[in-house]
Amino acid sequence: MKAGTMNVESGIGIITIDSPPVNALSVGVRRALDESFKKFAADESVNAIVLICAGRTFFAGADISEFGKPMEEPNLQAVNDIMENGQKPVIAAIHGTALGGGYELALMCHYRIAVPSAKVGLPEVKLGLLPGGGGTQRLPRIVGAAAALNIIVGGDPVPAAKALELGMIDALAEEGCLLRDAIAFAHNILNENKPLARVRDRQDKVDPDKGNAELFADFRRKNARAMRGFKAPENIIKAIEAAVELPFDKGITREAELFHELVYSPESAAQRHYFFAERETAKVPDLPRTTPPIDVKTAGVIGAGTMGGGIAMNFLNAGIPVTLVEMSQEALDRGIGVIRKNYENTAKKGRMTAEQVEQRMTLIRPALGIDALGDADLVIEAVFEEMAIKKDVFGKLDAICKSGAILASNTSFLDIDEIAGVTARPESVLGLHFFSPANVMRLLEVVRGAKTSPEVIATAMKFAKTIGKVPVLARVCHGFIANRVMGCYMDQADAIILEGTSPAAVDKAIYDYGFAMGPFQMTDLVGLDVLGRGSNARTVRGDLVSHDRLGQKKNGGFYDYDENRKPTPSTIAATIIADVARFKGIENRGEQTSEEIIARLLYAVINEGAKVLGEGIAIRASDIDVACILGYNWPVYTGGPMFWADSVGLPRILAKLKDLEAVYGQAFRPARLLEEKANTGGSFARG
Ligand code: T1G
């Protein structure tokens, strides 16, 4: 039995599965389970069975890479029949993260014991799926329908202490003594001659909700916005309704039907693509896995403004002391005040304690002047986006920072090589481009300069995870990856309204595609003073600002807003748009269809993505997907622009780009890589 071992200790059969990295329930693991349970079922010296995993975690679910392929036997159901319906008590001994099919397997056991550091959960919704191993039928029987809706539609893991409270586990083991305590637990079950408690037989938590349609209707209403565009949540709700209304076996059949609808859906294929894409970004092909990362024990941040403060919080959250530098005491106090307020707001929501707030605040070392950064392992500057200022700062850092310190710029578009050029240590310089709000957005673009050393890159890719970020490596170009490709989306949005399509029509098309908000509502939210200027040429945004329309925060922008911030199309904005169009001599083409708007704005992104890939700015197409999903909330159930392009079909996109080029010119000239792939049956996913 390759994936595990079996042994017997004082009448307790112990099945230990060991299939790195996360004991996913691959066919090999299922066979090992099937074989070992059959053996122990027949072994008279065995009175009870403990199921435990070696390595970093209990089963972390089905093997996601097996989905979309024909499922090999035995399936999870076969293993279940031996475990749940056997004559001997089975105890799941949980450490790490018992997730998805892994936790469903634990629910098929008669009892569950876990170490305090463990977590259990059913995160399938994040893969566009539902728990297809009985989780939607068994969990409601333990926690009730209402709690099951939150746990399964939410998809977040539940820490052991909370799981015990909810009944998701039956006991806590001592940390580090899981097997010992699981065996003792098994003996107690035998000594007390406790019945074989099958979760499937419990009705006390589901019967009270029979006929309670309002419970589900209310849940749908309350979560409509978060569930919009996703297919899986509605199927999960239906499965839990079945758990309440139907006998167990009928519920299991219903669950399988609902699972089947999802596993072959484009949404789930996209979300599974994203699962692996997010884990692929940290792998840099030309960087040997043995490249030693530099130890980052202390950090420095220059600038305590919105970005600097947010960046600093990431390090504080990871327990790394930060020297926070500002030019004036007033600016320093203001910056630190904002950080404290952010933490206190989080504490008010119960997501951290007052002690944790103080503990993080004590890690800040305020400083007036760069000299305080001499000992920092890593310094990130977040000063004004002007090359001369950046060069001045890096010149000074070069003079005072210790040798081997990493010097990073948070610039969102300036040339990292030019900045590195003012130092004597360009190998220690790179870009670390955070997205606003920097303490929330998970994307971190790591910008590799021409001379940045492998050690510095390896360090950045590794510690990104330490501070809760997903690193995407980019070479130097204007706007790097996310801003560059999404810049085309904004450019086409600005162009199409000058040709007579209303901002509201553009926003509706983009909203219906799946973004939380279209480009013009987004601009009004962020503020035209933030996103408005930046061009000396006459623009609609510039004119709106000169009419003192800054967006939601002042006098409206592309829209007018009522006291509840409800947007209505603005006649003033429409007049300004028509005026600028006339001034630029742009022909009015009338209101475009949603399909045309989508092609215009999103195919422009795909085309630019193909250029970014062709130029080697991005390592792989899926990195562009991750950057757009995490940096610009591109809807994850499309898989991101490049994955979506493959699903639309590259020949179709190429043909449309050529049509658009014929009308709108150079901006739509198909990228060579896209043309090549379209003409050779290639795809971005297959590289
Ligand atoms: N299948 C296949 N590979 C997996 C995997 C899985 N379930 N989970 C992780 N990996 C790989 C991952 O790609 C990476 O590979 C390595 O393991 C380490 O992962 C019937 C339908 C467990 C919390 O959704 O959330 O069960 O990049 O980098 O940060 O109802 O992995 O090294 O080559 O993420 O320590 C439900 C998914 C499946 C859990 C560990 N389960 N995994 O996090 O490591 S659907 C999940 C995670 C299901 C049933 C259904 C996390 C983790 P590589 P990592 P980590």
Side-chain angles (χ1 to χ4, degrees):
M1 175 173 83
K2 273 204 306 321
T5 57
M6 300 169 64
N7 60 301
V8 181
E9 263 185 49
S10 57
I12 307 297
I14 299 154
I15 299 172
T16 307
I17 297 295
D18 187 5
S19 176
V22 293
N23 292 309
L25 291 158
S26 61
V27 63
V29 167
R30 295 195 304 272
R31 285 194 183 126
L33 287 167
D34 186 60
E35 191 187 314
S36 48
F37 272 102
K38 280 184 178 143
K39 280 197 183 133
F40 275 157
D43 184 336
E44 287 177 8
S45 72
V46 169
N47 305 314
I49 300 166
V50 167
L51 174 59
I52 192 165
C53 289
R56 65 170 148 177
T57 180
F58 192 75
F59 308 99
D63 187 332
I64 302 167
S65 61
E66 288 184 356
F67 287 125
K69 303 172 194 145
M71 186 63 85
E72 291 181 63
E73 295 301 323
N75 65 26
L76 217 49
Q77 198 49 44
V79 177
N80 164 58
D81 294 343
I82 315 168
M83 286 167 58
E84 188 174 48
N85 308 332
Q87 299 313 309
K88 302 175 181 178
V90 181
I91 292 97
I94 299 171
H95 76 293
T97 49
L99 300 175
Y103 183 57
E104 291 174 298
L105 207 59
L107 288 174
M108 295 169 190
C109 298
H110 303 105
Y111 299 96
R112 288 146 290 281
I113 180 168
V115 288
S117 60
K119 291 182 178 162
V120 298
L122 297 170
E124 286 85 345
V125 68
K126 299 184 178 173
L127 300 165
L129 297 168
L130 58 76
T136 67
Q137 303 307 302
R138 289 191 175 84
L139 186 65
R141 283 173 163 76
I142 287 183
V143 300
L149 283 167
N150 288 324
I151 292 167
I152 306 180
V153 175
D156 294 327
V158 180
K162 180 76 183 162
L164 182 67
E165 203 185 294
L166 290 168
M168 294 173 77
I169 60 171
D170 302 292
L172 282 177
E174 187 184 333
E175 200 66 52
C177 303
L178 179 58
L179 183 56
R180 180 200 70 192
D181 292 358
I183 292 171
F185 186 90
H187 281 302
N188 286 348
I189 299 291
L190 293 169
N191 299 342
E192 293 161 15
N193 203 13
K194 277 204 171 165
L196 287 188
R198 301 190 313 170
V199 175
R200 58 166 293 157
D201 299 331
R202 299 191 201 176
Q203 287 302 122
D204 56 313
K205 287 286 172 65
V206 285
D207 286 349
D209 283 319
K210 277 193 189 314
N212 181 2
E214 185 45 30
L215 169 75
F216 297 97
D218 186 49
F219 184 87
R220 285 183 174 97
R221 261 193 312 276
K222 283 205 180 102
N223 295 281
R225 208 172 127 164
M227 297 190 323
R228 188 177 75 92
F230 292 93
K231 212 171 156 50
E234 178 52 31
N235 280 32
I236 291 169
I237 297 170
K238 287 193 178 110
I240 296 174
E241 280 174 322
V244 170
E245 300 301 340
L246 300 176
F248 182 80
D249 291 320
K250 285 216 168 81
I252 285 288
T253 308
R254 182 75 182 118
E255 176 192 273
E257 289 162 5
L258 293 162
F259 179 82
H260 200 265
E261 283 174 19
L262 297 175
V263 75
Y264 295 104
S265 70
E267 290 83 1
S268 181
Q271 288 178 260
R272 295 193 313 259
H273 155 76
Y274 181 73
F275 174 86
F276 289 113
E278 190 181 292
R279 283 154 183 80
E280 204 64 17
T281 66
K283 299 170 186 161
V284 182
D286 68 336
L287 209 64
R289 276 175 176 253
T290 52
T291 307
I294 299 160
D295 218 359
V296 176
K297 289 203 180 66
T298 59
V301 175
I302 307 173
T306 313
M307 285 310 287
I311 292 169
M313 287 177 74
N314 292 306
F315 292 92
L316 304 176
N317 297 345
I320 298 171
V322 175
T323 301
L324 188 57
V325 175
E326 257 297 354
M327 309 302 278
S328 71
Q329 191 61 49
E330 190 223 342
L332 198 50
D333 296 344
R334 191 173 48 242
I336 293 172
V338 171
I339 293 175
R340 173 174 285 283
K341 196 153 165 295
N342 284 340
Y343 280 135
E344 283 168 355
N345 286 345
T346 308
K348 269 200 215 108
K349 295 179 194 137
R351 291 209 305 265
M352 63 192 295
T353 63
E355 292 70 44
Q356 287 172 321
V357 173
E358 292 319 316
Q359 184 263 336
R360 306 223 171 136
M361 294 308 291
T362 55
L363 290 172
I364 301 178
R365 298 163 183 174
L368 286 177
I370 274 185
D371 299 348
L373 296 169
D375 290 335
D377 297 321
L378 163 68
V379 177
I380 304 177
E381 67 68 26
V383 299
F384 197 68
E385 284 277 45
E386 212 171 282
M387 186 53 90
I389 298 174
K390 303 281 189 193
K391 285 182 171 177
D392 175 54
V393 168
F394 274 77
K396 290 191 176 108
L397 287 175
D398 190 29
I400 59 131
C401 288
K402 67 179 180 184
S403 117
I406 298 174
L407 309 181
S409 170
N410 178 54
T411 179
S412 46
F413 61 87
L414 292 173
D415 185 333
I416 294 293
D417 291 324
E418 193 177 337
I419 293 172
V422 301
T423 75
R425 53 172 110 184
E427 71 283 358
S428 300
V429 176
L430 81 170
L432 290 178
H433 178 214
F434 291 78
F435 284 71
S436 182
N439 56 312
V440 177
M441 299 292 275
R442 293 180 58 227
L443 179 62
L444 176 63
E445 279 185 335
V446 177
V447 186
R448 175 183 201 164
K451 298 189 178 144
T452 308
S453 75
E455 293 74 20
V456 168
I457 295 292
T459 306
M461 302 307 275
K462 182 168 173 288
F463 93 69
K465 201 167 182 176
T466 311
I467 59 170
K469 303 298 181 192
V470 177
V472 170
L473 191 66
R475 291 266 184 200
V476 172
C477 72
H478 189 82
F480 314 131
I481 297 177
N483 285 354
R484 175 174 164 182
V485 300
M486 292 304 287
C488 304
Y489 158 91
M490 284 314 260
D491 293 347
Q492 291 308 318
D494 288 343
I496 206 169
I497 60 171
L498 287 172
E499 296 154 17
T501 297
S502 66
V506 175
D507 282 348
K508 180 169 182 328
I510 292 294
Y511 178 80
D512 292 348
Y513 172 88
F515 283 84
M517 203 177 268
F520 298 107
Q521 277 189 30
M522 177 60 78
T523 304
D524 278 0
L525 178 68
V526 176
L528 279 114
D529 53 335
V530 179
L531 287 180
R533 303 174 195 283
S535 152
N536 301 330
R538 184 173 175 198
T539 63
V540 170
R541 289 161 193 269
D543 276 26
L544 286 167
V545 171
S546 56
H547 282 71
D548 205 24
R549 293 179 66 86
L550 304 186
Q552 281 195 18
K553 61 182 146 190
K554 194 170 184 205
N555 301 337
F558 287 95
Y559 296 83
D560 296 326
Y561 294 87
D562 66 14
E563 63 286 356
N564 303 321
R565 292 180 174 254
K566 188 168 174 315
T568 46
S570 158
T571 51
I572 299 173
T575 310
I576 289 173
I577 293 168
D579 214 25
V580 174
R582 243 189 326 279
F583 173 82
K584 290 176 180 279
I586 293 173
E587 178 201 345
N588 188 315
R589 297 173 187 276
E591 190 97 85
Q592 301 292 316
T593 64
S594 285
E595 201 190 350
E596 188 65 17
I597 293 167
I598 291 297
R600 180 98 178 258
L601 273 63
L602 304 188
Y603 287 13
V605 173
I606 293 166
N607 199 35
E608 195 65 22
K611 292 178 189 166
V612 160
L613 208 48
E615 295 162 20
I617 302 293
I619 294 172
R620 53 185 79 85
S622 62
D623 285 2
I624 301 170
D625 291 331
V626 171
C628 292
I629 289 168
L630 291 181
Y632 279 82
N633 294 322
W634 188 292
V636 68
Y637 51 78
T638 69
M642 310 317 278
F643 183 85
W644 180 61
D646 285 345
S647 64
V648 171
L650 299 188
R652 184 165 155 211
I653 295 201
L654 177 63
K656 183 65 188 172
L657 283 170
K658 288 188 170 162
D659 293 349
L660 291 165
E661 183 190 10
V663 181
Y664 303 108
Q666 171 73 24
F668 287 98
R669 170 140 325 134
R672 192 172 323 116
L673 183 67
L674 192 150
E675 193 133 23
E676 266 165 34
K677 285 185 180 294
N679 295 336
T680 57
S683 78
F684 289 120
R686 283 197 306 280

